[in-house]
Amino acid sequence: MAIATAAQVRDGYLRVLSGTAEDSLIDTFIARFDDISSAYCGFPVNSNQSTFENNTYTHYFDGDGSGVLQLRVIPANTITSVHVDVDRDYGASSLVASSDYTLDTSEGLVILNTDSTQGAFDKGYRSVKVIYTAGFTTIPDGIVHACGMQVSHWYRNRDNIGFQNVSQQGGSIRVDGLQLLASTRQALAPYRLAGAIGGFLG
């Protein structure tokens, strides 16, 4: 699966192309856009790549003694396991029962129930270990739009890497660098992870 299809980018943003001959290259650009732009938005590198798509994460958090834990990536979709262990062994005895907490998916909050056996996320460095899935199961239109704009820019300017000006029709024109375009960054702005979202990568 990818965050966009070659057909979406080709038909919506690269009308100079007809047919599918360049789809393999477009797919490569889409994958690179996902990696670069999701990292720009704060999504962590996992298995040597960052992605907007739903992915499995193992993260460690400093417990603060409260009953609410902010996960690193949102939207958070499912919790595989939660361990609370100030000794950082994370053995079976430190596993928090799934019936003890509730997941707020949109905010990425693990909330201990008022009648939970655990009671609180014990204070301590990396005292909480969470394995969970997070990311977009359906890619928002804003990200698809950003992908289309950026991949179109990369495709059209792939022969001009390192040049600031190129000759064209008897004159010289300025070319933009291949960094994320201002319009791309604007489209991605609502999806940037910020604020209290944190934790340590596993």
Side-chain angles (χ1 to χ4, degrees):
M1 186 178 174
I3 64 169
T5 66
Q8 284 176 307
V9 173
R10 173 173 27 84
D11 296 343
Y13 302 88
L14 279 169
R15 299 298 295 275
V16 295
L17 294 178
S18 60
T20 61
E22 295 286 79
D23 280 9
S24 179
L25 177 58
I26 294 171
D27 283 334
T28 298
F29 281 140
I30 289 171
R32 291 174 182 170
F33 172 82
D34 184 23
D35 190 7
I36 293 168
S37 61
S38 60
Y40 166 77
C41 287
F43 286 74
V45 174
N46 193 36
S47 298
N48 298 318
Q49 186 171 7
S50 177
T51 182
F52 285 115
E53 293 189 88
N54 187 47
N55 206 349
T56 299
Y57 297 94
T58 299
H59 286 162
Y60 299 84
F61 304 86
D62 295 342
D64 62 2
S66 75
V68 180
L69 181 75
Q70 173 70 69
L71 295 176
R72 171 72 176 80
V73 184
I74 57 173
N77 300 310
T78 62
I79 299 288
T80 301
S81 63
V82 177
H83 286 81
V84 178
D85 187 355
V86 294
D87 295 323
R88 299 185 297 279
D89 292 325
Y90 314 113
S93 62
S94 66
L95 179 67
V96 180
S98 59
S99 58
D100 271 7
Y101 56 82
T102 301
L103 174 64
D104 182 327
T105 57
S106 61
E107 297 296 327
L109 300 176
V110 182
I111 306 167
L112 291 174
N113 300 330
T114 55
D115 59 349
S116 71
T117 302
Q118 178 60 40
F121 294 108
D122 297 345
K123 290 184 178 181
Y125 174 71
R126 292 196 179 201
S127 62
V128 184
K129 174 185 177 182
V130 185
I131 302 176
Y132 65 108
T133 66
F136 296 103
T137 54
T138 300
I139 303 300
D141 289 341
I143 293 177
V144 176
H145 177 58
C147 179
M149 290 190 295
Q150 190 67 42
V151 169
S152 174
H153 175 63
W154 285 340
Y155 179 87
R156 294 170 190 267
N157 292 280
R158 67 193 187 281
D159 293 329
N160 300 323
I161 296 174
F163 291 95
Q164 293 182 322
N165 297 280
V166 296
S167 298
Q168 188 177 83
Q169 296 179 347
S172 178
I173 62 170
R174 181 184 178 278
V175 294
D176 288 329
L178 299 185
Q179 68 271 16
L180 293 180
L181 298 167
S183 55
T184 299
R185 297 195 302 271
Q186 182 179 15
L188 291 173
Y191 310 103
R192 298 194 73 182
L193 303 180
I197 296 174
F200 302 91
L201 293 175

